[in-house]
């Protein structure tokens, strides 16, 4: 049975710029947030395109993890992107894991849809916290750089 988790954070940069970062240059997280994002490798397609598959190496709650992530849906009108995890460490805890970010003026909202592999598996609050922290870092980066 699928469950949902939502997390919202305030952003000060423009919605277009913020969405553009997640849409087109998400792999830059390796450079601007190296404490949590170690590498991104494009396996199929082109970054920022539906169907693109990337291999992410990241750190969450102090643990190094991997995830094979597919850009499932992109809606430029709504400024939303859906990422589906196909494989990797997170899939040991969840049968399915999908995250959608929607950006609007002043906020970024994450919607995480997941199905636990076992009942004892925790709600993915650590992923929601990482998503919010990532948004804060991206917002600061966009506000202080010439991008």
């Amino acid at each position: 049975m699928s469950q949902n988790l939502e997390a919202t954070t305030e952003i000060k940069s423009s919605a277009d710029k913020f969405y553009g970062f997640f849409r087109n240059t998400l792999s830059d997280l390796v450079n601007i947030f190296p404490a949590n994002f170690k590498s991104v490798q494009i396996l199929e397609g082109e970054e920022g395109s539906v169907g693109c598959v990337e291999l992410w190496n990241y750190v969450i709650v102090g643990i190094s993890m991997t995830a094979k992530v597919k850009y499932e849906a992109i809606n430029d009108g709504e400024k939303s992107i859906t990422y589906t995890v196909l494989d990797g460490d997170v899939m040991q805890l969840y049968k399915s894991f999908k995250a959608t970010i929607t950006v609007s003026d002043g906020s970024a909202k994450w919607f995480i849809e997941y199905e636990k592999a076992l009942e004892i598996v925790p709600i993915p609050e650590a992923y929601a916290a990482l998503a919010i922290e990532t948004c804060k870092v991206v917002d600061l980066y966009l506000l202080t750089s010439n991008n």
Side-chain angles (χ1 to χ4, degrees), residues 57-127:
N57 288 290
Y58 60 99
V59 175
I60 190 162
V61 293
I63 302 167
S64 292
M65 307 275 277
T66 62
K68 189 175 177 181
V69 179
K70 180 178 183 178
Y71 287 69
E72 183 178 301
I74 297 172
N75 185 324
D76 291 334
E78 294 180 3
K79 294 184 182 69
S80 71
I81 304 168
T82 300
Y83 308 94
T84 300
V85 179
L86 304 174
D87 199 5
D89 297 313
V90 72
M91 299 312 287
Q92 293 175 17
L93 299 173
Y94 305 98
K95 290 181 188 176
S96 63
F97 196 93
K98 183 187 298 191
T100 300
I101 184 171
T102 303
V103 181
S104 58
D105 288 329
S107 72
K109 183 175 185 175
W110 284 94
F111 182 78
I112 300 170
E113 184 180 334
Y114 62 95
E115 184 176 354
K116 295 179 180 183
L118 300 168
E119 195 52 43
I120 62 169
V121 169
I123 294 169
E125 292 173 318
Y127 281 91

Side-chain angles (χ1 to χ4, degrees), residues 5 13 18 22-23 26 71 79 91 97 120 122 127 136-137 139 145-146:
L5 180 63
S13 54
F18 193 88
F22 280 85
R23 166 90 159 79
L26 190 57
Y71 287 69
K79 294 184 182 69
M91 299 312 287
F97 196 93
I120 62 169
Y127 281 91
K136 291 177 181 179
V137 169
D139 194 36
S145 70
N146 293 325

